[in-house]
Coordinates of all heavy atoms in Angstrom, one line a residue:
A1027 N 70.2 36.3 92.6 CA 70.9 36.0 93.8 C 70.5 34.7 94.4 O 71.3 33.9 94.9 CB 70.8 37.1 94.8
E1028 N 69.1 34.4 94.3 CA 68.6 33.2 94.8 C 69.2 32.0 94.0 O 69.6 31.0 94.6 CB 67.1 33.2 94.8 CG 66.4 34.1 95.7 CD 64.9 34.1 95.5 OE1 64.4 33.4 94.6 OE2 64.2 34.9 96.3
L1029 N 69.2 32.1 92.7 CA 69.7 31.1 91.8 C 71.1 30.8 92.1 O 71.6 29.6 92.2 CB 69.4 31.5 90.4 CG 70.0 30.5 89.3 CD1 69.3 29.1 89.5 CD2 69.7 31.0 87.9
E1030 N 71.9 31.8 92.2 CA 73.4 31.7 92.5 C 73.6 31.1 93.8 O 74.5 30.3 94.0 CB 74.1 33.0 92.3 CG 74.1 33.5 90.9 CD 74.8 34.8 90.7 OE1 74.7 35.7 91.7 OE2 75.5 35.1 89.7
S1031 N 72.8 31.4 94.8 CA 72.9 30.8 96.1 C 72.6 29.4 96.1 O 73.3 28.5 96.8 CB 72.0 31.6 97.1 OG 72.0 31.0 98.4
L1032 N 71.5 29.0 95.4 CA 71.2 27.6 95.3 C 72.3 26.8 94.6 O 72.5 25.6 94.9 CB 69.8 27.4 94.5 CG 68.6 27.9 95.3 CD1 67.4 27.9 94.3 CD2 68.3 27.0 96.5
A1033 N 72.9 27.4 93.5 CA 73.9 26.7 92.8 C 75.3 26.8 93.4 O 76.2 26.1 93.1 CB 74.0 27.3 91.4
N1034 N 75.4 27.7 94.4 CA 76.6 27.9 95.1 C 77.8 28.3 94.1 O 78.9 27.9 94.3 CB 77.0 26.7 95.9 CG 78.1 27.0 97.0 OD1 78.2 28.2 97.4 ND2 78.9 26.0 97.3
I1035 N 77.4 29.1 93.1 CA 78.4 29.6 92.2 C 77.9 30.8 91.5 O 76.7 31.0 91.3 CB 78.7 28.5 91.1 CG1 80.0 28.8 90.3 CG2 77.5 28.2 90.2 CD1 80.5 27.6 89.5
R1036 N 78.8 31.7 91.1 CA 78.4 32.9 90.4 C 78.2 32.6 88.9 O 79.0 32.0 88.3 CB 79.5 34.0 90.6 CG 79.1 35.4 89.9 CD 80.1 36.4 90.3 NE 80.0 36.8 91.7 CZ 79.1 37.8 92.1 NH1 78.3 38.4 91.2 NH2 79.1 38.1 93.4
L1037 N 77.0 33.0 88.5 CA 76.6 32.8 87.1 C 76.8 34.1 86.2 O 76.9 34.0 85.0 CB 75.2 32.3 87.0 CG 74.9 31.0 87.8 CD1 73.4 30.7 87.7 CD2 75.7 29.8 87.2
V1038 N 76.7 35.2 86.8 CA 76.7 36.5 86.1 C 77.6 37.5 86.8 O 77.5 37.7 88.0 CB 75.2 37.1 86.0 CG1 75.3 38.5 85.3 CG2 74.3 36.1 85.3
E1039 N 78.4 38.1 86.0 CA 79.3 39.2 86.5 C 78.5 40.5 86.2 O 78.2 40.9 85.1 CB 80.6 39.2 85.8 CG 81.5 38.0 86.1 CD 82.1 38.1 87.5 OE1 81.9 39.1 88.2 OE2 82.7 37.1 88.0
R1040 N 78.2 41.3 87.3 CA 77.6 42.6 87.1 C 78.6 43.7 87.1 O 79.6 43.6 87.7 CB 76.6 42.9 88.3 CG 75.4 41.9 88.5 CD 75.8 40.7 89.1 NE 74.7 40.1 89.9 CZ 74.7 38.9 90.5 NH1 75.8 38.1 90.4 NH2 73.7 38.4 91.1
G1041 N 78.3 44.7 86.3 CA 79.2 45.8 86.2 C 78.4 47.1 85.7 O 77.2 47.0 85.5
R1042 N 79.2 48.2 85.7 CA 78.5 49.5 85.3 C 78.0 49.4 83.9 O 77.0 50.1 83.5 CB 79.5 50.6 85.5 CG 80.0 50.9 86.9 CD 81.0 52.0 87.0 NE 80.5 53.2 86.4 CZ 81.2 54.3 86.1 NH1 82.5 54.3 86.5 NH2 80.7 55.4 85.6
H1043 N 78.6 48.6 83.1 CA 78.2 48.6 81.6 C 77.4 47.4 81.3 O 77.2 47.2 80.1 CB 79.5 48.6 80.8 CG 80.4 49.8 81.0 ND1 80.0 51.1 80.7 CD2 81.6 49.9 81.6 CE1 81.0 51.9 81.1 NE2 82.0 51.2 81.6
G1044 N 76.9 46.7 82.2 CA 76.0 45.6 81.9 C 76.3 44.3 82.7 O 76.9 44.4 83.7
A1045 N 75.8 43.2 82.2 CA 76.0 41.9 82.8 C 76.7 40.9 81.8 O 76.3 40.9 80.7 CB 74.7 41.4 83.3
R1046 N 77.6 40.2 82.3 CA 78.3 39.2 81.5 C 78.3 37.8 82.1 O 78.5 37.7 83.3 CB 79.8 39.7 81.3 CG 80.6 38.8 80.4 CD 82.0 39.3 80.2 NE 82.7 39.5 81.5 CZ 83.4 38.5 82.1 NH1 83.5 37.3 81.5 NH2 84.0 38.7 83.2
L1047 N 78.0 36.8 81.4 CA 78.0 35.5 81.9 C 79.4 35.0 82.2 O 80.3 35.2 81.5 CB 77.3 34.5 80.9 CG 75.9 34.7 80.5 CD1 75.4 33.6 79.7 CD2 75.0 34.9 81.7
T1048 N 79.5 34.3 83.4 CA 80.7 33.6 83.7 C 80.8 32.3 83.0 O 79.8 31.9 82.3 CB 80.8 33.4 85.3 OG1 79.7 32.4 85.6 CG2 80.6 34.6 86.1
P1049 N 82.0 31.7 83.0 CA 82.0 30.3 82.3 C 81.0 29.4 82.9 O 80.4 28.6 82.1 CB 83.4 29.8 82.7 CG 84.2 31.1 82.8 CD 83.3 32.1 83.4

Side-chain angles (χ1 to χ4, degrees):
E1028 290 176 2
L1029 177 61
E1030 291 180 326
S1031 176
L1032 289 170
N1034 196 28
I1035 194 168
R1036 183 171 287 274
L1037 301 173
V1038 178
E1039 293 288 353
R1040 295 82 150 172
R1042 294 178 57 187
H1043 302 292
R1046 181 177 60 86
L1047 297 187
T1048 65

